[in-house]
């Protein structure tokens, strides 16, 4: 097994390396890959020193699996080159997510969609991943016709430069601006670019990706995505309208059986999901279960996950584990 991590020196790349180590992912050779300006850099990882290589050298090495976290432009240019030499590319960017010829995978929900012919596999948007982990089993049981979601997303979702902006503002320093406004002590109802329909690209990602992952175009999603000055994870307030009646105890029983999903719902003891407690955790946390008293067959709940872990690195590594365990590597 020859494994490449493309974008190994970035925030998500570093997290991928941590998850690989924690999950004891087995490989014979590890290639750390980055842009030309980072090639030649020395990286200490898991008791060894690695020399970062460029993309051309990585393709020439013909890795079995390449986990990409290097941006959409890099993925569009280089993922096909890796695929041509037989590599399975698992891509964290948005480049391939809505390509009808590519699979968009959350292993617990639709891992079975992957075949041995899939050489480029897309990792969904971080906010979508944590939401579909809840929606998937409930849709199978009750049928979902509508979802209204409002997100509260960490600055880590915008990368290290955004974290630096927030911390500089907090320290009273002049920051290098990533956002169009101050982020510390503020809330921005603006993630990614605005589209002609008035929604942002992030909001439409959640709408379109959810349908593709669930393989059910009956599920309609309306999203409002908001950036808040926190670290540790993304939070979501989710209202789900079912086709059929539900019992709360049954909902919780169904979700309690989902791998990687943890119920935290003990309001008497102030126990509910928070970014602070989800930080560095691979699980998705769900709580604040409430029957929607304004609409029949509707449910309110609150979902939190570390966006750099299950929202990116962990899900990508889980896809790599799935393809190896199911003998899908050529």
């Amino acid at each position: 097994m020859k494994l490449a991590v493309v974008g190994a020196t970035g925030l998500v790349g570093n997290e991928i390396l941590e998850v690989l180590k924690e999950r004891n992912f087995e490989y014979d050779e590890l290639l750390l890959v980055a842009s030309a300006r980072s090639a030649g850099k020395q990286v200490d990882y898991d008791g060894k020193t690695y020399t970062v290589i460029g993309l051309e050298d990585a393709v020439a090495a013909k890795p079995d699996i390449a986990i990409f976290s290097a941006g959409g432009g890099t993925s569009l240019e280089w993922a096909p080159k890796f695929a041509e030499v037989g590599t399975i590319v698992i891509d964290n960017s948005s480049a391939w997510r809505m390509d009808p010829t590519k699979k968009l995978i959350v292993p617990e929900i639709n891992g079975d969609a992957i075949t041995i012919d899939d050489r480029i596999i897309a990792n969904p948007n971080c906010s979508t991943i944590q939401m579909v982990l809840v929606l998937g089993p409930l849709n199978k049981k009750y049928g979902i016709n509508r979802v209204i979601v409002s997100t509260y997303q960490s600055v880590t979702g915008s990368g290290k430069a955004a974290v630096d902006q927030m911390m500089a503002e907090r320290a009273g320093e002049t920051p290098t601006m990533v956002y169009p406004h101050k982020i510390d002590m503020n809330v921005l109802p603006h993630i990614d670019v605005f589209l002609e329909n008035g929604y942002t690209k992030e909001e439409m990602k959640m709408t379109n990706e959810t349908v593709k992952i669930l393989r059910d175009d009956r599920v309609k999603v309306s999203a409002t995505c908001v950036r808040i000055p926190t670290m540790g994870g993304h939070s979501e307030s989710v209202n789900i309208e079912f086709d059929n009646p539900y019992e709360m105890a049954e909902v919780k029983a169904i979700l309690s059986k989902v791998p990687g999903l943890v119920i935290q719902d003990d309001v008497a003891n102030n126990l509910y999901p928070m970014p602070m407690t989800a930080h560095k955790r691979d699980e998705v946390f769900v709580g604040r279960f409430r029957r929607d008293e304004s609409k029949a067959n509707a449910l309110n709940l609150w979902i939190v996950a570390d966006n750099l872990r299950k929202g990116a690195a962990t899900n990508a590594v889980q896809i790599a584990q799935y393809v190896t365990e199911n003998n899908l590597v050529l």
Side-chain angles (χ1 to χ4, degrees):
M1 168 61 65
K2 187 182 293 185
L3 174 68
V5 176
V6 179
T9 58
L11 260 185
V12 176
N14 287 332
E15 209 68 38
I16 288 168
L17 292 174
E18 286 300 309
V19 175
L20 287 167
K21 183 166 56 177
E22 290 172 11
R23 288 179 167 260
N24 297 313
F25 188 90
E26 293 186 5
Y27 53 81
D28 301 299
E29 184 178 352
L30 177 65
L31 306 174
L32 301 189
V33 189
S35 62
R37 67 176 180 273
S38 295
K41 180 179 178 181
Q42 300 290 302
V43 174
D44 293 327
Y45 170 67
D46 200 20
K48 298 180 181 178
T49 299
Y50 293 86
T51 300
V52 176
I53 63 174
L55 286 153
E56 287 187 5
D57 289 339
V59 171
K62 298 183 179 180
D64 297 292
I65 296 173
I67 303 178
F68 268 60
S69 187
T74 299
S75 294
L76 285 172
E77 180 181 358
W78 288 94
K81 296 178 182 179
F82 279 85
E84 284 173 10
V85 299
T87 303
I88 294 178
V89 175
I90 301 166
D91 182 45
N92 265 303
S93 79
S94 62
W96 305 100
R97 290 175 185 161
M98 296 312 299
D99 185 322
T101 68
K102 304 296 184 291
K103 306 293 173 54
L104 183 65
I105 298 296
V106 177
E108 300 92 334
I109 302 300
N110 65 337
D112 63 302
I114 304 173
T115 71
I116 199 163
D117 296 321
D118 293 313
R119 296 294 101 184
I120 299 175
I121 301 169
N123 207 32
N125 180 52
C126 46
S127 297
T128 305
I129 290 172
Q130 63 189 72
M131 184 171 73
V132 298
L133 205 63
V134 172
L135 297 185
L138 296 182
N139 187 45
K140 285 184 177 180
K141 177 64 179 179
Y142 305 109
I144 294 173
N145 60 69
R146 188 181 189 213
V147 177
I148 301 174
V149 54
S150 297
T151 72
Y152 305 75
Q153 296 182 222
S154 164
V155 293
T156 56
S158 302
K160 182 179 181 300
V163 176
D164 291 343
Q165 176 185 330
M166 183 181 75
M167 299 311 290
E169 290 169 348
R170 194 159 293 181
E173 301 168 355
T174 302
T176 299
M177 298 294 286
V178 172
Y179 301 119
H181 303 284
K182 181 180 178 182
I183 184 61
D184 192 41
M185 301 291 287
N186 198 18
V187 168
L188 303 181
H190 176 187
I191 298 178
D192 214 317
V193 299
F194 285 100
L195 305 174
E196 288 186 3
N197 63 359
Y199 287 85
T200 63
K201 194 174 179 181
E202 181 85 357
E203 291 160 352
M204 294 312 300
K205 287 177 189 175
M206 295 193 72
T207 297
N208 297 325
E209 291 178 21
T210 298
V211 170
K212 185 173 181 178
I213 295 165
L214 297 183
R215 295 174 280 193
D216 187 348
D217 58 10
R218 298 179 310 104
V219 180
K220 307 302 181 185
V221 178
S222 180
T224 301
C225 293
V226 180
R227 188 73 68 192
I228 63 173
T230 57
M231 294 171 64
H234 293 348
S235 305
E236 298 172 349
S237 172
V238 184
N239 178 272
I240 308 167
E241 186 177 329
F242 297 117
D243 296 327
N244 298 297
Y246 69 90
E247 293 298 331
M248 192 68 76
E250 187 179 46
V251 166
K252 292 183 180 181
I254 291 169
L255 295 181
S256 69
K257 297 175 184 176
V258 178
L261 191 63
V262 176
I263 294 176
Q264 291 184 331
D265 191 50
D266 182 5
V267 294
N269 291 295
N270 299 322
L271 178 64
Y272 32 71
M274 298 183 294
M276 184 178 294
T277 50
H279 184 50
K280 288 290 185 181
R281 299 281 297 275
D282 286 335
E283 302 91 342
V284 172
F285 300 89
V286 59
R288 291 299 320 277
F289 289 84
R290 286 152 291 146
R291 185 174 291 276
D292 184 345
E293 297 183 353
S294 72
K295 184 74 174 178
N297 303 332
L299 171 70
N300 289 305
L301 43 77
W302 177 254
I303 306 170
V304 178
D306 187 322
N307 54 293
L308 296 182
R309 303 285 288 203
K310 182 56 178 173
T314 300
N315 200 71
V317 172
Q318 287 176 315
I319 295 172
Q321 290 176 311
Y322 186 93
V323 297
T324 56
E325 290 167 2
N326 288 276
N327 300 313
L328 299 174
V329 179
L330 295 177

